[in-house]
Amino acid sequence: MAIVTIIGAGMMGSALAFPARENGHEVRLVGTHLDREIIENCKAKNQHPKFNKAFPEGMKYYQIEDVKEAIAGSDMIIGGVSSFGVDWFGDEILPLIPEEIPVLSVTKGLVNTDDGKLLTYPDVWEAKMEKLGKKLSINAIGGPCTSYELVFHDQSNVAFCGRDMKILEKMREIMTTDYYHVSLSNDVVGIESAVALKNGYALGIALTIGLLQKEHGVDCDLHFNSQAAIFGQAVKEMYRLLDYQGAATLENMTVGYGDLYVTVYGGRTRLVGILLGRGLDIDSAKAELNGVTLESLVVAERVANAIKTAAKLGKLNLEDFPLLLHVDEIITEKKPVRIPWEKFTFRYEK
């Protein structure tokens, strides 16, 4: 039996308690300073307030002040914070973790640099730990998997990525079930970039749903030609960005495109995209979704900024990214939705 400690009682981190505990491991769920009510609810009902299913019996729950006790003796730590908790996790939690305990992060995102590069969160955290003279094994999860469907035990296929394949194999052994399937990759940049890049593109696809509802009413039938057209353009732009990252492999694209699909049909990004398509500006859409974490907006803006910087340096061409740059205009400049359909066409002669 292993000891799995999950730090951050958000939906995805908490959902991973199901395969870990159902495999017979001891699971400790630690809430952040923002999760106090969630942990109290879990202690009282053995159920996360956002899930319609109770946790497996035998779970252990901790408030943040008891995090050192929860970490002690763990075989692996799962970082369950959102991208808004990246700095807190790096500053407050990682320094507490002994070097022999590997970390598996659920956090998806990228950080753009002044020279147009895109850094993964494991890159950022590892650099921070190096300054402290500490070396941690920081790994991450990517792939098409929503928290509520994982709790439902829908068949899910994800990828664990990290530098050390033996550590990844150990974590896969702890977490794999008959419904949670795990691929392994030592291409951290590729997996992490693929699953982060999809955010702005999923929002772009959802715009078409909102535009349809704006014209024909919110109860109108869904149409898929427009969604498919945007999906195709999204795939093209994501490939170019993965290539820019030196990570345009079939495996990375499979993980990224799968995550794009599930985000369009089941993610929070879908909600904000629909509202923007209906005609709301970004401030009104955020107000409408009060309390919903919208990491996708941050990632989309950062990637767009990286594209603009790289274009100025002659490394990328702005004309190759009409969809993401329009999404960025909608988010940062509050421009109305006017999807540039003609910029998505191509002429190919063999």
Side-chain angles (χ1 to χ4, degrees):
M1 180 184 75
I3 298 175
V4 179
T5 296
I6 303 168
I7 301 177
M11 293 177 69
M12 181 52 75
S14 300
L16 287 168
F18 283 81
R21 182 61 190 149
E22 287 165 2
N23 277 343
H25 304 301
E26 179 177 324
V27 180
R28 304 167 179 175
L29 180 61
V30 184
T32 70
H33 53 291
L34 301 176
D35 298 332
R36 301 197 70 84
E37 291 185 11
I38 293 176
I39 293 299
E40 289 306 314
N41 189 89
C42 290
K43 287 181 177 180
K45 302 178 180 179
N46 195 44
Q47 185 168 337
H48 194 287
K50 293 289 183 69
F51 297 156
N52 58 9
K53 181 178 181 180
F55 283 110
E57 291 299 322
M59 290 280 297
K60 297 183 178 181
Y61 304 107
Y62 298 77
Q63 294 290 3
I64 190 60
E65 56 266 25
D66 299 317
V67 65
K68 290 183 181 179
E69 177 186 347
I71 290 172
S74 297
D75 291 282
M76 65 181 287
I77 303 292
I78 295 178
V81 299
S82 74
S83 60
F84 299 107
V86 164
D87 291 337
W88 174 84
F89 193 75
D91 293 337
E92 303 295 331
I93 301 301
L94 291 180
L96 301 177
I97 300 174
E99 290 187 352
E100 67 271 15
I101 303 177
V103 177
L104 182 66
S105 170
V106 307
T107 315
K108 297 179 180 179
L110 293 166
V111 177
N112 61 298
T113 66
D114 292 338
D115 58 353
K117 294 179 181 178
L118 289 164
L119 302 179
T120 70
Y121 290 149
D123 287 331
V124 172
W125 284 327
E126 286 175 354
K128 186 169 288 191
M129 290 302 99
E130 285 179 10
K131 290 182 179 179
L132 298 177
K134 188 169 189 174
K135 188 178 175 94
L136 283 178
S137 174
I138 302 177
N139 310 273
I141 306 174
C145 180
T146 60
S147 58
Y148 44 89
E149 293 193 5
L150 178 56
V151 171
F152 185 77
H153 291 186
D154 196 29
Q155 294 292 323
S156 303
N157 191 353
V158 301
F160 290 0
C161 61
R163 318 292 182 197
D164 190 324
M165 193 59 71
K166 289 184 178 179
I167 290 175
L168 293 174
E169 288 171 350
K170 178 183 176 182
M171 292 192 294
R172 176 172 65 180
E173 183 180 353
I174 291 171
M175 298 299 298
T176 295
T177 69
D178 60 357
Y179 61 88
Y180 190 65
H181 311 281
V182 181
S183 299
L184 304 179
S185 173
N186 62 6
D187 185 357
V188 178
V189 171
I191 295 294
E192 285 290 87
S193 295
V195 298
L197 290 173
K198 64 92 179 40
N199 281 289
Y201 294 108
L203 190 152
I205 295 168
L207 292 174
T208 66
I209 303 172
L211 286 170
L212 187 72
Q213 292 177 353
K214 181 181 179 181
E215 183 173 356
H216 299 286
V218 295
D219 296 324
C220 67
D221 292 336
L222 277 178
H223 290 253
F224 297 98
N225 280 4
S226 53
Q227 290 186 57
I230 297 284
F231 193 97
Q233 179 65 24
V235 165
K236 189 188 301 183
E237 295 187 22
M238 284 177 64
Y239 174 84
R240 288 170 176 155
L241 286 165
L242 284 172
D243 187 51
Y244 175 61
Q245 292 281 81
T249 67
L250 180 62
E251 291 76 16
N252 294 335
M253 289 185 290
T254 299
V255 170
Y257 299 158
D259 206 355
L260 174 63
Y261 182 92
V262 79
T263 303
V264 170
Y265 285 99
R268 293 164 287 186
T269 303
R270 172 188 175 94
L271 299 175
V272 70
I274 290 173
L275 292 175
L276 291 169
R278 287 180 189 170
L280 275 67
D281 65 24
I282 189 61
D283 292 335
S284 300
K286 286 180 179 179
E288 185 79 14
L289 298 175
N290 184 37
V292 175
T293 304
L294 297 172
E295 299 169 285
S296 57
L297 303 182
V298 176
V299 179
E301 184 176 349
R302 287 176 179 175
V303 175
N305 285 337
I307 290 172
K308 294 171 190 176
T309 300
K312 289 178 182 178
L313 297 172
K315 298 177 181 178
L316 290 175
N317 188 340
L318 291 179
E319 293 180 0
D320 288 336
F321 304 95
L323 176 55
L324 186 65
L325 292 178
H326 182 51
V327 169
D328 181 56
E329 289 178 339
I330 296 167
I331 294 172
T332 62
E333 301 176 37
K334 301 181 184 178
K335 289 191 175 181
V337 177
R338 291 194 178 92
I339 295 174
W341 294 106
E342 284 304 311
K343 291 184 179 181
F344 303 163
T345 61
F346 63 87
R347 175 172 176 162
Y348 175 74
E349 293 186 34
K350 188 173 180 179

